[in-house]
Structure formats: C-alpha cells, structure tokens
Amino acid sequence: MSNKAARNLFILGSLFFFAIFLGLTYDTMGKLDKRAPEITEQVNAGKMVWHKYDCIGCHTILGNGSYFAPDLTKATERKPKGYLKRFLMDPKSANPNASMPKLGIRDEEADDLIAFLDWNSKVDTNGWPPKPILAAAGGVAGKELTEGQKLYQSLGCAACHLINGIGGTTGPELTTVGARRDRSWLIGHFKNPEEYVKNSAMPKVEAPEADIEKLADYMITLK
Amino acid sequence: MSIKYQSQKIAEYFYTFAVVLFLVQVVVGIIAALQFIWPSFFILNFNTIRTLHINALVVWLLTGLMGATYYVVPEESETELWSLPLAKLQFWATVVAITAVVLGYIWMGLNPQANSPIMGITPLNEGREYIEAPRWADVLIVITVLLFLFINFMTMLKTKKWTGIQGTLIGGLTVLALMYLPGMFYTKSMVKDQFWWWWVVHLWVEGAWEVIAGALLAFMLMKVVGARREVVEKWMYIEVGFVMFTGILGTGHHYYWIGTPGYWLWVGGIFSSLEPLPLLFMVWDAFRTTREARNVENRAGLYYTVAHAIFNFVGAGLWGVIHTLPQINKWTHGTQITTAHGHLAFYGAYVLLVLAMIYITLPAIRGVKAFNASRAFQSFWWMTISMVFIVLTITGAGMVQVYMERLMGLDYVAVKANYNMWFWILRAIFGVGFLIGVGIFVIDFFRLGKEPAPAVTAAPERV
C-alpha cells in the first residue's frame, strides 16, 4: 500500500464511520424522550440544583460521574423521599455516620432535586443497575422465609438496615436488635418512630396491624 | 541538538505551565486519595478536589500538546511560526483563563451558594464531570484554541509542505476543538446531557487525542532513532485510521445504560472490543522501528516513547477491553474498575506522550548536546511502578466492589468504608511514590541543560 492510499483510507474511512455514527445519533435522539417520563418544570429545576452543587463531583448517576459516593440513579426507589429530603438538607441529622457535608441545600431545592432523581429512576436503562444475584434469590439454601422475613424484604427495610452484613448502612444495624428491644417497643416504634427515638429519620411503617406484629416477631428473633 | 527555528522556543512556555499543573494534579490527587480514608480531611470537599484533579490533568496534557505542536509545525514546515507574538498572546490568554477557572472552583468549594445560577447558568462550575468549566470560560477556551489552530495553520500555509505528520497532527487538533462544542449547550434531559457529554469525552480521548498521539509517535520515532519518513508515516496512517474506525462507533460502549436504545449494546460491544488493535499496532511499530536503531543519542526520549506505546496499549487498550462487553459492563459500570482504567489509560496514552515529547524537544530548545538522563530514568521508574500499583489496588477495590455490592447486594458505603479500606490505604502510599517521581521529573525539567553535562553517560542498555 502506498502512503497516499493509506492516507485516503484513513480520511475516507473516518468520514464513513462518522457518517454512520451521525445516523445512529439522529435515530437515538428521536427515541430518547419515549424512553423516559415527561420532564416537568420541577424536574428541570432539580437538574439545575444537581449542577449547582456539583453533585457529580462525588456521586455517579446513570453510572457516570465520580466513584466516591453511591450511585443515585435509583435513589428514590431505595430510600423514602422524606428521609432523602432530610438527608439532603442536613445529612448528619438523618444519619449520624454520613460523610456528606452540609451544603446549604434549601427546602425547595431539595424537593426539586428529589423530583429530578425520581425522573432518573424511571428512565429505561436497558435493565441497569441489575438486581444483585444474592438479594434477588430470596430464600437461601432452600429454607422457607418466615412471614416477618418476607415483610422485611417487601417493605424495603434492608435499604437502610443491616442484618448479618446484608443491607444498607444509613439506619442502625439490626443483627442483634432482639437482644436490645422488646416486642411492644418495636411495634410502637414501627407506628411512630419519632415518639421512641428523638429526631428519628425513619419513616412510619405503613402496613396493617397484623403485619407490624409479624415484623416485630421477626425482629425479636434477632439476637 | 539544537533548534532550527527560533520560534520553536515558544514550546517551553507551554511545557513549563504543563509541568506546574502536573505537580498540582498529583498533589490534589493525594488529597483525594486521603479523603477516601477520611472523607472530611482537608478544607475543600472531595468534589472540588476531584474537579481540580481531573481538570488539571486535561489542561496540562492539552497545553503540553500545544507546546509540542508549536515545536513540530515549524520543523515540518521548515519555517518560523507565522506569528510569535500571537503565539505568546495565546499562551498568556490560556494561563489567565485557566487560573480564573481554578479560582472559581475553589471559591465555589468554600461557598457552594456562590455557584447559584445567574439567568439559568451556573457561573463558577457547570457541575458536569471533566467539562466543569463555566460557559464564559468555554468561550475563552474556544477562542484561544482557535487562535492556536490559526497560527499553526498559517505557518503551514507559508511553505505548503503538507507532510503527513503535521497534517494528521493539525487534523487531530481540529477534531479536538470541534468536539468541545457538543459540551457547550444545556439540555433538560439528563439522558441527552450524558449522550452529548460522551461526544466530548470519548471522541477526545479515544478519537482526536489518539490521532494526535499517533502523529507525535511518528515524529518522535523519526527524531530519536532516525526512522525513515515514508515508513513511519504509512504506519501512522494505518494506526490512526484504525483508531477512528473502531473508536468512533466504540462510543457506543458508553450508551449501554444511560437511557439509550438497545442497539448500542451491539454497536458499542463490537467496535470497542476492537479498539485495542490500533494501540497494539503502535507498540509493534515502536519496537520494529527502534530495533533497527544504531546510534541513539537521546536515550531518555527513546525510553519514554516506547513506554508510552506500551502503556497506551495496556492502560487504554487492555484495561478498557476487560469491561467493555455489555454482559460484563452491566456489573462493572460505575465502579472502581472504571477508575483503574482511567488512571492507567491517561498515564500511558497521554502523560508519557507529553513527557516523551518534552525529553525529545527540550534539549534542542535549550541547545544541549548531551544531558544526564539519570534523573529521567529515576522519575520514570518511580512514576511507572507507583502507577502500576495504584491501578492494581484500584482494580482490586473494584473487583471487591463488583462482587459485594453489585452481585451480593451489600450497601455501597459498607463496601467502600470497610472491605475496600486497605486498598485505599495502599493506593495513597503508592500515590506518594508517584509524587516522588513527579518531583524528580520537575527538578529535571527545570535543570536540564543548566548544569554541566556528565563526562560519562549511563551504561547503554537495550530498550
């Protein structure tokens, strides 16, 4: 191959592949809005808050950004919105162990940001992030789950609490909670956490009385 | 070694600014590494430190490449620069713009409310990774880059010697300038925001920048081992051609999970898997060419050139391809695996490239016949060994993270603060090793040619 032929191959080939890329980009642009919910004024305002505080300097969203703090794509699915709002405005009041600094996010900014995060959680991402294999497996080693264990999963308690190393770290660990609390305390606490723990960031457990009792029964087995 | 055209000396201005920013980048990098262990360490939060770390990286590499271009273009065109005063103006405009942007970042870091939007635009920090520079700075940067391209283009026009090397170099730089534009408008949709953002980031580092690297590699092989122009230019075209053929559609590997249609899994998976190939050509090219070399005067330059080719392949190629298939990327996307790839890729592909260009052109600029290369080798080994271990520790952290967080379902913070802690500690230690290497390099940069040359140069060795 002569130098000139190599040069032409480089230039024309690059243009060819760029043309394909442009075509795919055009097609993609026409499809993106259908793969995500409508963008309201509040969602857009939330996006400006996201940029203003340079959230991406620590967090990822849709998996892109910094890898210093949790990915926020599904933040509103993983944590109750009331908790998120409180955390955004004053992280340590919601979780004393939080590393996130208090940035001065105002009340309405927090609402807008949560609307923006909620929008992101509903984008069709081709199934990302995938459900963890172990957590999705449910019952382990063929053992049937108790009613209380099923409720613990379906109510999303593990988003904030740890049991035997599995779960979130924003709330207190529950591995030995049965040794610390009795049944009536647990039931009362589920119905109104703030009455039992001052400034608790935990939302009320919205479930029928019978389910709350089953959940408490499960808790007291954890010793 | 000496320069043929006086205006080539402008390169040293850019190199000096680049070297200072390199030092800044590594110092803030160590602060960031310590914040992984103690999040509240230091007056500025992690997001500001990280913004400084990655912006300093991009800017010092770019100014280094600008300096290299100002050296290469007069040499290839066989004439003085079209306008030296304008080139100096462009240099100082760049310094002023970058300094203003950095002060803005620090101000925002100390007082986040200072970044409150004015007429819908955040004035100090756009809050978009790598392109945090605010809109007013974008405009200044575009003006200085256009001025830079204009000066070089007019220089080439003076003699109309359209050599392949300078044509490819200017072509790559023009694409680089054009690809800054997709990052300069606001979109309400976070999906579209990231879609266009990747045009900038991916088409820079896996497109335009690799083309520039290919052109400079050809130039360096000619300079250091006296390789024949016809041969290096032909291989350069083939290399940069394959960079573009695989890299353009390889952008698809960023469009798997951000809300884009499913066909990108195929496009990105196939083309990005091929991206290491042109980088492997470059390694082969470097070895084949240097094996024939008889009398190499500038052994430090040769060393860095070949190391650049090797670590470009290992960092950008191998460390990228391991997690580029959608089936794997589904689990690794957004984890420390990406950080590991980013570190080795930038070090191999671009840090070593700019340092190689400095070692090849600086002695000529300073009119030095021979220089003591011992510090160049010392800094190379301190930096390279440290970087390899930094990358291995982050890769280990990433593997633990993928397994525990993504597969087992443990909480992100639990994994980061407990199971990854030793990786962070080791990474910070190797970071200090890297800083030592950079320190030796910075000393060497400022003293090269300014102290008496040694009577005996280091024993020859095979590269």
Side-chain angles (χ1 to χ4, degrees), chain B residues 3 7 19 168 216 252 259 436 447 449:
Chain B
I3 47 170
S7 50
V19 166
T168 307
L216 292 178
I436 292 170
R447 292 174 71 171

Side-chain angles (χ1 to χ4, degrees), chain B residues 81-292:
Chain B
L81 273 182
W82 179 70
S83 168
L84 187 59
L86 262 188
K88 281 186 182 164
L89 174 74
Q90 190 249 319
F91 170 74
W92 288 111
T94 306
V95 174
V96 170
I98 297 308
T99 309
V101 171
V102 168
L103 292 176
Y105 292 158
I106 294 171
W107 184 17
M108 183 215 158
L110 297 170
N111 173 22
Q113 297 305 327
N115 199 34
S116 298
I118 299 168
M119 298 199 302
I121 292 177
T122 49
L124 300 177
N125 182 326
E126 252 176 45
R128 299 174 75 200
E129 194 191 2
Y130 286 106
I131 50 173
E132 287 93 345
R135 195 57 42 83
W136 56 266
D138 288 344
V139 174
L140 285 179
I141 291 165
V142 168
I143 292 172
T144 55
V145 171
L146 286 179
L147 183 59
F148 161 77
L149 285 174
F150 178 71
I151 295 164
N152 283 296
F153 190 73
M154 292 307 283
T155 308
M156 290 161 66
L157 214 56
K158 268 167 78 180
T159 54
K160 298 201 175 70
K161 289 188 190 300
W162 303 112
T163 69
I165 286 174
Q166 67 173 345
T168 307
L169 182 60
I170 289 294
L173 288 163
T174 307
V175 175
L176 184 156
L178 285 175
M179 284 307 133
Y180 193 65
L181 305 180
M184 282 180 61
F185 57 87
Y186 179 80
T187 51
K188 287 185 175 182
S189 159
M190 194 61 188
V191 175
K192 289 178 188 168
D193 186 306
Q194 293 207 343
F195 186 92
W196 293 114
W197 178 78
W198 279 118
W199 270 54
V200 185
V201 176
H202 178 94
L203 293 177
W204 267 25
V205 295
E206 286 165 60
W209 288 37
E210 286 285 359
V211 171
I212 294 165
L216 292 178
L217 177 64
F219 178 81
M220 294 190 295
L221 290 175
M222 270 172 47
K223 281 282 130 189
V224 182
V225 296
R228 274 174 51 224
R229 178 180 288 278
E230 296 76 34
V231 180
V232 291
E233 284 197 343
K234 182 158 91 186
W235 283 106
M236 173 192 72
Y237 284 131
I238 292 169
E239 287 154 10
V240 297
F242 271 88
V243 163
M244 295 304 254
F245 304 163
T246 57
I248 292 172
L249 290 175
T251 316
H253 67 184
H254 302 296
Y255 296 158
Y256 295 160
W257 324 117
I258 66 166
T260 33
Y263 55 72
W264 285 108
L265 273 70
W266 286 94
V267 177
I270 291 167
F271 281 89
S272 68
S273 297
L274 300 171
E275 278 188 66
L277 282 182
L279 310 184
L280 190 60
F281 289 169
M282 290 185 191
V283 177
W284 175 77
D285 190 16
F287 272 99
R288 178 183 51 87
T289 314
T290 52
R291 208 169 31 229
E292 293 156 8

Side-chain angles (χ1 to χ4, degrees), chain A residues 1 3 6-7 9-10 13-14 17-18 20-22 24-25 27-29 31-33 35 39 41 44 47-48 50-54 56-58 61-70 99 101 103-104 106 116 119-120 123-128 130-135 165-169, chain B residues 35-36 39 45-47 50-51 108 113 115-116 120 125-129 186-196 198-199 230 234 237-238 240-241 244-245 248-249 251 256-261 263-265 271 330-331 333-336 338-339 406-414 416:
Chain A
M1 188 161 44
N3 272 25
R7 188 193 65 194
L9 180 71
F10 159 49
S14 301
F17 283 104
F18 195 71
I20 296 177
F21 187 57
L22 275 179
L24 289 174
T25 296
D27 181 75
T28 297
M29 279 296 142
K31 292 188 166 128
L32 290 184
D33 289 337
R35 297 172 60 89
I39 300 169
E41 276 310 304
N44 185 43
K47 185 169 181 276
M48 281 309 294
W50 170 267
H51 291 308
K52 172 186 166 184
Y53 290 99
D54 189 25
I56 211 157
C58 291
I61 192 159
L62 300 168
N64 293 315
S66 301
Y67 315 94
F68 186 71
S99 301
L103 295 169
R106 293 191 303 271
F116 166 72
W119 182 89
N120 276 276
V123 171
D124 177 357
T125 53
N126 297 326
W128 192 89
K131 288 260 182 299
I133 290 170
L134 201 71
I166 302 282
T169 53
Chain B
Q35 287 180 330
F36 265 81
N45 292 327
F46 180 85
N47 61 341
R50 193 209 191 230
T51 299
M108 183 215 158
Q113 297 305 327
N115 199 34
S116 298
N125 182 326
E126 252 176 45
R128 299 174 75 200
E129 194 191 2
Y186 179 80
T187 51
K188 287 185 175 182
S189 159
M190 194 61 188
V191 175
K192 289 178 188 168
D193 186 306
Q194 293 207 343
F195 186 92
W196 293 114
W198 279 118
W199 270 54
E230 296 76 34
K234 182 158 91 186
Y237 284 131
I238 292 169
V240 297
M244 295 304 254
F245 304 163
I248 292 172
L249 290 175
T251 316
Y256 295 160
W257 324 117
I258 66 166
T260 33
Y263 55 72
W264 285 108
L265 273 70
F271 281 89
K330 187 171 191 170
W331 301 100
H333 177 55
T335 65
Q336 299 295 333
T338 317
T339 322
R406 293 291 168 79
L407 270 85
M408 290 178 67
L410 267 72
D411 185 65
Y412 171 93
V413 176
K416 181 193 163 209

Side-chain angles (χ1 to χ4, degrees), chain A residues 180-199:
Chain A
R180 283 180 282 138
R181 306 292 186 196
D182 61 33
R183 193 168 180 269
S184 64
W185 189 96
L186 287 162
I187 291 172
H189 175 257
F190 288 150
K191 290 178 185 166
N192 190 0
E194 274 199 89
E195 203 176 290
Y196 287 75
V197 179
K198 206 175 156 224
N199 291 326

Side-chain angles (χ1 to χ4, degrees), chain B residues 331-332 335 337 397-407:
Chain B
W331 301 100
T332 60
T335 65
I337 300 281
M399 288 162 71
V400 169
Q401 185 191 4
V402 168
Y403 186 76
M404 299 193 100
E405 186 200 346
R406 293 291 168 79
L407 270 85

Side-chain angles (χ1 to χ4, degrees), chain A residues 149-217:
Chain A
Q149 282 174 315
K150 284 180 191 161
L151 282 164
Y152 184 83
Q153 289 197 348
S154 63
L155 291 167
C157 308
C160 298
H161 297 282
L162 273 177
I163 293 179
N164 294 327
I166 302 282
T169 53
T170 43
E173 180 170 349
L174 301 178
T175 310
T176 59
V177 68
R180 283 180 282 138
R181 306 292 186 196
D182 61 33
R183 193 168 180 269
S184 64
W185 189 96
L186 287 162
I187 291 172
H189 175 257
F190 288 150
K191 290 178 185 166
N192 190 0
E194 274 199 89
E195 203 176 290
Y196 287 75
V197 179
K198 206 175 156 224
N199 291 326
S200 172
M202 175 160 149
K204 292 175 184 169
V205 178
E206 306 286 354
E209 180 76 25
D211 285 354
I212 286 185
E213 287 182 13
K214 283 175 193 158
L215 193 58
D217 287 338

